[in-house]
Amino acid sequence: MTSSERFDMGRGENVFKMLGASNHTVMERQPLDYYATDPLAAELLLGEETFDKNVWECACGGKHLSGVLERHGYNVRSSYIMDRCGNEVYDFLGLDNCSWTGDIITNPPYRLAVDYVYKALRVIPGGNKVAMFLRLQFLEGKSRKDLFARFPPKVIYVSSSRILCAKNGDFARMQAAGGSAVAYAWFVWVKGLRQPTIVKWIN
């Protein structure tokens, strides 16, 4: 490979990193889409919102969010599609006829995020909350437009500084590689509430 070819390859990778285009990367996606959330994200959310004492973290991964919620005194149900840290083992989307008397807070697999929102809103009681940590670009797309039209979020908290979501929970490796180029936000729904969505900035 010539030096110019190496330059072009590196330049391309940098462009895709800046765009946050995860499907254009020399690294393969984690098979179960396990990208652990920096606990800071949960701290920021709890600085803005209060929740029911019972919280279900239904895509808990390594309990990075669950741990923060527990330290703040919440009763946390942690589940994931496999056992990573002593969690309950459930495929959240595959659970039939389930219900939850409490709130739901999670960072779902991004490719399944719309389905997670619909399912979460279906299983909680009216007046309870769903909080999803999602890429800011979740605001785009026709299927998401339909979701927002039917169920407008109460508030979207945009992180002004980048928060890490690290493949396999390896935050040190991600930091060493330059951190994150992806913008994230907390999307918070209150079941049954229909009003114009408020946008706020945090971090």
Side-chain angles (χ1 to χ4, degrees):
M1 182 184 294
T2 67
S3 58
S4 61
E5 287 171 332
R6 284 194 294 269
F7 174 77
D8 288 340
M9 178 178 288
R11 181 173 58 185
E13 291 166 8
N14 288 337
V15 167
F16 291 127
K17 181 180 178 182
M18 288 173 65
L19 293 173
S22 60
N23 56 323
H24 293 91
T25 177
V26 294
M27 299 292 290
E28 289 186 2
R29 292 288 291 175
Q30 208 283 339
L32 292 177
D33 225 10
Y34 173 44
Y35 289 81
T37 314
D38 187 335
L40 172 64
E43 296 286 359
L44 292 168
L45 176 65
L46 296 180
E48 301 290 337
E49 292 280 333
T50 57
F51 293 92
D52 189 275
K53 66 178 181 178
N54 297 317
V55 174
W56 187 359
E57 215 293 38
C58 55
C60 72
K63 290 189 178 179
H64 294 83
L65 297 180
S66 295
V68 174
L69 293 166
E70 290 169 351
R71 288 194 293 275
H72 281 263
Y74 289 95
N75 302 320
V76 185
R77 177 185 184 184
S78 298
S79 68
Y80 191 55
I81 199 168
M82 64 178 291
D83 185 356
R84 283 192 178 276
C85 48
N87 52 273
E88 297 180 54
V89 180
Y90 293 120
D91 175 359
F92 179 67
L93 297 181
L95 288 173
D96 295 324
N97 302 316
C98 71
S99 61
W100 174 245
T101 305
D103 294 339
I104 291 177
I105 301 174
T106 195
N107 175 358
Y110 188 73
R111 61 189 174 83
L112 300 173
V114 170
D115 296 326
Y116 264 73
V117 174
Y118 277 124
K119 181 68 174 280
L121 288 171
R122 187 160 66 248
V123 305
I124 64 171
N128 280 66
K129 293 179 180 180
V130 169
M132 298 274 181
F133 189 68
L134 302 165
R135 297 178 194 171
L136 191 56
Q137 69 190 89
F138 189 74
L139 289 167
E140 302 173 343
K142 290 185 178 180
S143 66
R144 296 163 196 163
K145 180 182 177 182
D146 292 340
L147 167 66
F148 295 138
R150 292 180 61 191
F151 303 106
K154 170 197 159 192
V155 60
I156 299 171
Y157 295 104
V158 179
S159 178
S160 299
S161 299
R162 297 296 161 87
I163 296 176
L164 300 183
C165 286
K167 182 178 179 179
N168 293 318
D170 194 343
F171 291 100
R173 183 176 181 182
M174 191 173 188
Q175 286 280 22
S180 174
V182 181
Y184 289 96
W186 279 107
F187 292 68
V188 181
W189 287 264
V190 176
K191 185 172 180 177
L193 179 68
R194 294 190 63 86
Q195 64 179 35
T197 300
I198 299 168
V199 179
K200 294 184 178 181
W201 285 263
I202 56 174
N203 197 25

